[in-house]
Amino acid sequence: NNSRSFRHQIQAHGLSEPEDAKDRAIRQKVRQSLMAQGQAATKEVREFLLEKMGSTLRAWLEFFDKNGDQIVDWKEFDHGMRQLEYPGDARQLFDRLDRD
């Protein structure tokens, strides 16, 4: 990540104060929360696809990764979830999955 590298360079040259223990603890809690949200979203998608298609791989190939690049962007995800008649908020679910 370029911003992380940039911050590291600034700190290495003594141009800013390093994080204190409280800042590190807060960042760790945020990371853990985001990871838990991503895991819950992954489970939700997996269960939905298994219920609808019987196979996550079949759903992936048939409804999501149409161009075969092994990446599903928002447009592909939305299209696939609409075709499968997902009853929830696909955008919110995608955002919980897409944390990078």
Side-chain angles (χ1 to χ4, degrees):
N1 184 330
N2 288 338
S3 64
R4 186 178 328 138
S5 175
F6 181 72
R7 272 182 300 194
H8 182 269
Q9 289 176 17
I10 288 175
Q11 288 176 351
H13 294 296
L15 300 174
S16 72
E17 296 296 316
E19 291 182 310
D20 64 16
K22 184 178 177 181
D23 289 340
R24 283 190 299 274
I26 290 170
R27 287 181 189 271
Q28 181 64 24
K29 285 182 182 183
V30 169
R31 276 189 220 104
Q32 289 171 344
S33 175
L34 292 174
M35 193 162 66
Q37 290 176 26
Q39 290 169 346
T42 299
K43 181 179 178 185
E44 183 177 338
V45 169
R46 184 181 316 117
E47 289 174 356
F48 173 72
L49 297 178
L50 286 172
E51 179 184 313
K52 284 293 208 173
M53 298 294 297
S55 164
T56 55
L57 179 58
R58 187 177 321 138
W60 172 273
L61 296 172
E62 191 172 331
F63 292 97
F64 296 95
D65 190 22
K66 296 283 193 167
N67 62 4
D69 67 356
Q70 300 182 0
I71 298 170
V72 175
D73 62 18
W74 161 243
K75 186 177 177 180
E76 291 171 315
F77 186 80
D78 183 48
H79 183 73
M81 294 303 263
R82 285 176 191 264
Q83 285 185 304
L84 291 167
E85 300 176 350
Y86 178 67
D89 183 343
R91 182 72 218 197
Q92 188 261 356
L93 184 60
F94 183 81
D95 288 344
R96 289 176 27 222
L97 290 167
D98 186 37
R99 294 289 181 190
D100 55 7

